[in-house]
Amino acid sequence: TLVLTITPNTNNTTTESACGSFTWSVNGTTYTQSGTFTSVNGCATETLVLTVIIPGTACNDGNSGTINDTLDQNCNCVGTPIGGGCTLNELFLEIQTDGISETTWEFVTSGTAVVVASGGSQYAGPGVLNESVCLADGCYDLRVFDDAGDGIAGGGYTLRNSAGDRIIDNRNNFTAGALSAVGNGPSAFCVPIGTQNLVWSSRDKLDWVEGQYLVAEANAAVSAVWIQGGANNVQSTNTGYQFWIFDPNGSFSFRRFRSHATSDNFGPASATRAARMKINYWLAPIGSIVPENVLMNVRVRTRVNGINGNWGPASRFKIDPVRAQCPLTQLNDTPGNAFLSCGQTREFGPGNFVWARPVTGANRYQFRFRLEEEGFEYVVTSNTFVLQLNWNSPALEAGRTYDVDVRVSRDFGATWCTEGASWGESCTITIVGESAIAGRTKELDITSAEMSLWPNPNNGDQLWLNLSGVEDGVKLVAVEIIDLNGKRVADRMVPVSGANVDTRLELEGQLGSGVYIVRVVAGSSIHTERLVIAR
């Protein structure tokens, strides 16, 4: 007896076209290259004829008014309008040259070898060369090459978007090797970039120590998810901020997510706690601990219910315990800040001030004014980070732009945090109005004048502050709260009404129990008062 089953051979061919990659449902394999692929299962043979279109590949959009046509991340053919006017993402690459090496650069579509823009050669210098590129939405790697293999002597580069926000900041830092590129991790950058940033006191700080908190600006969408007492619900565990610290030259790259449900040793729990990341305070995958004395960049993005936002602007970052003992400072350079001084105009005379970034524990500040092309240099010492532009001689002249840098002392001027030529980063001040106004230097006094704080002791929620007799011409005062270790834990800018300050400070429960110093900088005077937080 013969019981016979014959299964006929079957052959089926499928033709597909995909952008970037294609996953074949027959065998679950993802293909990133074109070709003909076969899968045999018993008597059934499936054949896939696949064409994979690679983003960044040159193409022709059929528009005679564009050039440099390439496929974007969605494989749409997009060109750059002739005569400028980039309608995509216009980026600017600033290269500090040395006039010695041949420096070239290229932008490569992430995950491919496709070069979408390139340039550079033997740059005359030293100087700053500005290049512009027009890129479609997507992710890219920037590679900067040095033909001699020794970097750019004293040089580097910065990549910015059209709004001036930094994407990569490698100024004065490409000093060795033949290639500088973000490595050891995901793509160097994506465009467009987001707006999420660090708070100003965390930006471009080059004297971090382990255990300090890197702080992001609070984002309303992230804060809205936080629920009091519900730190372990799903929304809280996948909502927060992700910090990315990387070396622009490629030696280090690490990303860390901070959710509402994790503390990082910071308390109490609140809608903004996740905006703080304690430096090097994590169980390390190998190579995740940020090394000391290496210039890094740091960027932040939000994550709301598991969905990431775009990375925000880059800031410079360095762990340097030695420098932290006596840190660098400079004129206030925070855009939109009431005390913004860097790049601003001022008159010379009574009632005209410039502000430096305050340094905790500093009791003397020196401001240096220079006209390098004329060999002019004048140094003024102040008791505070506020300097009134009013002294006898030499007066600053109207119509002149001065380079200004700042340094500090913690021993009343016996020694300075930076000696010799190594001051903080230089800014410019342009003098307008009268060329000179007679008058003697008004010495800035640190006082402990009476001011009213209530309730004191305080429960850490709201604090009322009253100060009277503010000097003429002062429109805003700076209020700082400092703990007994000298760390500034809160700061506010408060308007002056007439000659008085009468305001309510929302502390939002962010201060732990203990004794603090409230310091108010009002023009040329500093007023201090003790504050007790008792919960």
Side-chain angles (χ1 to χ4, degrees), residues 312-369:
S315 289
R316 290 157 73 87
F317 172 100
K318 183 189 286 187
I319 297 178
D320 188 343
V322 175
R323 173 55 64 200
Q325 298 303 311
C326 211
L328 297 173
T329 188
Q330 64 178 89
L331 291 183
N332 187 310
D333 62 341
T334 308
N337 186 280
F339 300 130
L340 175 64
S341 299
C342 185
Q344 302 301 295
T345 60
R346 293 287 191 274
E347 291 188 12
F348 182 77
N352 296 287
F353 301 90
V354 292
W355 284 263
R357 286 188 175 191
V359 174
T360 300
N363 45 44
R364 292 290 185 274
Y365 290 74
Q366 279 193 336
F367 296 76
R368 182 172 65 170
F369 297 81

Side-chain angles (χ1 to χ4, degrees), residues 2-138:
L2 172 65
V3 179
L4 177 63
T5 300
I6 297 176
T7 302
N9 289 322
T10 60
N11 292 279
N12 182 54
T13 300
T14 301
T15 301
E16 293 284 354
S17 179
C19 178
S21 65
F22 177 78
T23 300
W24 195 14
S25 61
V26 169
N27 58 8
T29 301
T30 298
Y31 300 95
T32 58
Q33 294 183 339
S34 301
T36 300
F37 308 97
T38 302
S39 175
V40 179
N41 184 12
C43 295
T45 300
E46 293 284 342
T47 301
L48 172 66
V49 179
L50 177 63
T51 300
V52 176
I53 303 170
I54 305 299
T57 303
C59 61
N60 185 353
D61 65 0
N63 183 352
S64 60
T66 63
I67 58 174
N68 299 326
D69 302 342
T70 56
L71 298 175
D72 65 14
Q73 293 298 297
N74 297 314
C75 292
N76 298 313
C77 191
V78 180
T80 303
I82 296 175
C86 175
T87 58
L88 305 173
N89 298 283
E90 188 171 21
L91 305 183
F92 297 91
L93 179 61
E94 305 165 4
I95 302 177
Q96 296 168 289
T97 67
D98 56 14
I100 302 172
S101 303
E102 281 203 11
T103 304
T104 55
W105 52 267
E106 63 184 21
F107 290 87
V108 179
T109 301
S110 180
T112 76
V114 178
V115 177
V116 296
S118 61
S121 187
Q122 178 72 47
Y123 293 136
V128 177
L129 182 80
N130 291 292
E131 303 271 19
S132 65
V133 296
C134 190
L135 300 180
D137 289 1

